[in-house]
Structures are given as structure tokens and as C-alpha cells.
Amino acid sequence: MINKKVEKAINDQINAEMYSSYLYVSMASDMEGKSLPGFAHWMKSQAQEELMHAMKFYDFIVERGGRVILKGIDGPQTSWKNPTEMVAHVYKHEQHVTGLINSLMDLAIKEKDHATVNFLQWFVKEQVEEESTASDILQKLKLIGGKGDGLFMIDKELAARVPLFTFPLPGAQA
Ligand code: FEO
């Protein structure tokens, strides 16, 4: 049976991951409006990953005999000045999420919840990757001054990201 304090903290993390997904869909929508389909695609793929993170926590609570309780998701920011400002926001947000994962880990250690400590290792590693990817894109944007031909090249590059899933899903009717 899962420790109650840990269960509550993981439920809060599900909300944070769902919010991340919501925020990234909002960024995708803004990029569509700015005619940057590659950035929009990258943000949609990122939003799928955040949903996957939330569901990983969901499955873990269920597996440990706990109960998932969902709360309201805050409305995200809806527009950004330019892609550089948006990616800087992604980077900052991922650093915030890393802090949340670290706090969760601290709690699991304090509560001697070894199963949760083990489970959270995956997220610790994932956050290193998430921060590094956002930071790389931000550096490239800064190098090219955030506009011109360089921006369209980065947009093309981001369009190549393989998403977790595409619509229609296999087996679903188009
Ligand atoms: Fe679920 Fe991007 O951290």
C-alpha cells in the first residue's frame, strides 16, 4: 500500500504534468498562428510526452493500491513575443519541474518509500534530457538572433521530431 503523504504528492505531480501538457499545447497553438509549423509540431509532441508522464504517475499510484484524484488545471499563458521567448519559457518551466521531481524524491527518501524512490529515478533522468533539449534549442535561437533564414531552418529541424502518436490512431476510423 502506498504511503499517504507520497500518494498526495504524486497526485499533485499528476496535476503539474497535465499543466505542462496544457501549457505546451498553448505554445503549439501560438506557433501555428505565427506560421512556424515546426515549432508547433515540436510543442505538440512535447505535450504528448507530458501526458505520458502524468499517466506514468497515474499507473504507479494504481499499481500501489492508491487512488488518483484529479484537480483543476490552471489556464496557461496564451501568447509569446517570439519563439525565443517561448523556448526560454519551456527551459524555465522544465527547471521548475525538475525541482518538483527532486522534492518528490526527498519526500520518498524521508518516508523510506523505496519503491517510489526507485520509480522516480526514471523521472530524474528524463528531466536531465528535457532541460538539455530545451537549452540546446534556446542556444541555437540565440545564435541566429531569433529570426531570418536561421529561424526557418530551426523550424524545419523541429518539424522532424517523431511524436509519440499521430492521428488517426492505428485501428481508429479516419
Ligand atoms: Fe514532465 Fe517535461 O517534464
Side-chain angles (χ1 to χ4, degrees):
M1 193 70 187
I2 194 163
N3 172 300
K4 284 291 149 194
K5 277 189 211 161
V6 173
E7 178 185 288
K8 191 196 165 299
I10 296 181
N11 266 306
D12 288 345
Q13 190 61 31
I14 290 176
N15 188 268
E17 300 290 347
M18 291 282 194
Y19 173 76
S20 299
S21 187
Y22 218 40
L23 173 66
Y24 294 164
V25 171
S26 183
M27 288 176 170
S29 167
D30 190 39
M31 292 299 108
E32 313 270 10
K34 290 181 167 65
S35 301
L36 290 164
F39 279 88
H41 169 79
W42 195 84
M43 291 320 307
K44 279 196 283 181
S45 306
Q46 193 62 26
Q48 291 180 353
E49 291 225 351
E50 300 303 345
L51 186 59
M52 183 265 281
H53 293 168
M55 294 314 289
K56 262 178 115 73
F57 281 114
Y58 175 109
D59 286 342
F60 182 70
I61 290 185
V62 172
E63 202 184 346
R64 307 270 321 274
R67 171 86 158 89
V68 171
I69 304 281
L70 297 182
K71 291 186 289 191
I73 303 169
D74 291 338
Q77 187 175 330
T78 53
S79 76
W80 288 261
K81 233 187 285 165
N82 49 50
T84 308
E85 189 192 80
M86 185 200 75
V87 176
H89 189 167
V90 173
Y91 184 40
K92 202 170 150 220
H93 185 69
E94 287 302 332
Q95 288 173 303
H96 166 69
V97 174
T98 299
L100 296 178
I101 297 289
N102 288 344
S103 299
L104 252 181
M105 183 65 107
D106 289 344
L107 177 68
I109 291 168
K110 189 168 152 259
E111 294 296 318
K112 298 186 173 27
D113 184 343
H114 296 229
T116 299
V117 169
N118 183 52
F119 168 75
L120 288 172
Q121 299 292 354
W122 185 89
F123 283 92
V124 171
K125 198 164 154 260
E126 177 78 354
Q127 281 311 121
V128 172
E129 205 184 302
E130 297 264 280
E131 280 191 34
S132 154
T133 310
S135 166
D136 286 353
I137 300 169
L138 186 58
Q139 288 316 314
K140 277 188 198 168
L141 279 165
K142 283 181 177 168
L143 266 176
I144 56 117
K147 52 185 191 307
D149 288 349
L151 180 62
F152 287 101
M153 272 177 67
I154 296 175
D155 191 62
K156 222 171 146 192
E157 211 180 287
L158 295 180
R161 178 173 177 175
V162 180
L164 287 180
F165 53 85
T166 49
F167 295 104
L169 294 170
Q173 279 190 325

